[in-house]
Amino acid sequence: MTVIVVALAVTLLATAYVWPLVPLVIYPMRRWRGFWAALYCAAIGAVCAVVFRDLRYMVGDFFELSVVLALLRAIVEVAGLAEPARRKRREAREDTPS
């Protein structure tokens, strides 16, 4: 039983510490998929920030950071600020010989 509890605690901590990076990394070349993924990450982060706000190791704080970063990504996607970089990357990828 102790092993299961420790495994769940480690999984929760790992998820909390990595979750703020998920909206920044997921679907980097797809505008609307990235937008919806950022909204999903914000919703999950908000729920987890409320549920785990009283735990040690700042778990709630990391989930709150994920909400901020996810909303930032959603704003960037809606405004289209990442499109010039995506176009350059696509053109560079098409220009390189295989």
Side-chain angles (χ1 to χ4, degrees), residues 8-76:
L8 287 174
V10 168
T11 303
L12 173 67
L13 287 175
T15 303
Y17 295 152
V18 172
W19 198 257
L21 301 176
V22 170
L24 302 177
V25 176
I26 194 164
Y27 295 122
M29 297 300 289
R30 307 257 190 248
R31 181 177 181 179
W32 294 110
R33 282 187 182 180
F35 170 74
W36 290 112
L39 290 183
Y40 170 77
C41 289
I44 296 298
V47 169
C48 290
V50 171
V51 171
F52 301 119
R53 69 179 175 264
D54 295 330
L55 291 180
R56 297 187 323 186
Y57 308 115
M58 299 186 322
V59 172
D61 295 338
F62 277 93
F63 281 118
E64 288 174 16
L65 177 65
S66 75
V67 172
V68 171
L69 291 177
L71 292 178
L72 178 69
R73 167 83 189 266
I75 291 168
V76 166

